[in-house]
Amino acid sequence: MGSSSFLWNFTKKFVTFGIITVTVSDRYVTVVPVRGGSMSPTLNPKTSSSAGNFSDDYVLVEKFCVDKYRFSHGDVVVFSSPLNHKERHIKRIVALSGEWFGSRQNYDVLKVPEGHCWVEGDNAAFSMDSKSFGPIPLGLIRGRVTHVVWPPQRIGAIQSPPRERLSSL
Amino acid sequence: MGFRNLGLLGSFAKEGLEKAFSLGKFFCFLHVTDTYLVTFVVTSGPSMLPTIDLIPTMFLGERISTRFGKVTRGDIVIIRSPQNPRKLIAKRLAGMEDDTVTYISNPDEPDKQETIVVPKGHVWIQGDNAYKSNDSRNFGAVPYGLIQHRLFWRVWPIKGFGPFWKH
């Protein structure tokens, strides 16, 4: 009798804890690991050297921005891939809707459609981004990356856009 | 005496905290049901006539089949508008990825048909009322990730109460 009530209490606490965690991570803030080097040097500056995951950066993602869908240039965002909704990508917003944007590949000038944005990885050479799938709807964005929280020597806020980016705007 | 008062005050504070905590728990529970199971959706507007009436209509939308990619052609879904992320629109899925879709871009000229193949990871959505619907004929295929819920039960107005999956 005593042990079953203990078990029941434990389950209740566990479920409550789970629900609260899920809510907080959905609505307010969460921590996710970064895979791959497409955002190097801002995130994962040296993935190529080690095969293991122990060098992956963990980043803080805030979800408040998704209430209003207001973003600015240089924001690093998490979005679900337009090619596969189960995948999440982390890229930097380079241009917002209504802006003329010159891509550095073929010197085309294109206008970002209404409600869309143009995302690119900081590591232009190894990045699957708007250069391959075009502008993405803002509705796919799931959060904004604000800080690196792990490993300890890299803790700090995300840098604003790297140098050459500004020239392309 | 003072000690006893403190105890009373403490028990009040404790009760208040407990209330706040259970309110918070309730809010979290609502959020989880809303985000992962079912939610209420109110639709209005002419784009889905005659399936969905012009006047505000309340539905239950579920998020399980959308999460696991189980939605199919013909389902009516709520989609975050690709043109304005703050807006949700109700449309019918007319094609899944790799489908070939033939559509009439202008309903006044039914001879002019266009055919496209829906790209990978995208869906083709159309309103039932071709004359007054802003949909994929306008803005092209949309990424699957924009799908929010699938409508499955009509709740209001009360005379329409009942299942809503074979429409």
Side-chain angles (χ1 to χ4, degrees), chain B residues 1-17:
Chain B
M1 192 61 190
F3 186 75
R4 202 177 291 160
N5 274 342
L6 193 70
L8 200 63
L9 211 67
S11 79
F12 270 133
K14 201 175 162 212
E15 201 173 312
L17 270 182

Side-chain angles (χ1 to χ4, degrees), chain A residues 83-142:
Chain A
L83 303 178
N84 179 358
H85 67 105
K86 293 193 191 90
E87 276 176 23
R88 296 279 186 277
H89 290 313
I90 298 182
K91 295 282 178 291
R92 194 184 287 278
I93 295 182
V94 178
L96 291 160
S97 65
E99 287 171 357
W100 293 94
F101 169 74
S103 76
R104 282 169 300 151
Q105 268 63 45
N106 42 16
Y107 302 101
D108 273 354
V109 176
L110 51 96
K111 192 179 188 193
V112 181
E114 193 190 346
H116 286 61
C117 64
W118 189 270
V119 289
E120 276 187 21
D122 286 354
N123 186 359
F126 302 97
S127 174
M128 172 88 166
D129 51 28
S130 284
K131 277 171 289 176
S132 46
F133 47 66
I136 62 160
L138 289 174
L140 287 180
I141 295 180
R142 301 287 185 253

Side-chain angles (χ1 to χ4, degrees), chain A residues 26-65:
Chain A
D26 276 354
R27 295 181 77 103
Y28 308 118
V29 70
T30 186
V31 172
V32 297
V34 183
R35 307 241 177 279
S38 73
M39 281 299 283
S40 165
T42 315
L43 303 169
N44 279 2
K46 46 175 198 296
T47 27
S48 46
S49 56
S50 64
N53 286 335
F54 55 87
S55 72
D56 278 0
D57 284 352
Y58 282 75
V59 290
L60 199 71
V61 179
E62 61 108 347
K63 304 287 180 94
F64 293 102
C65 57

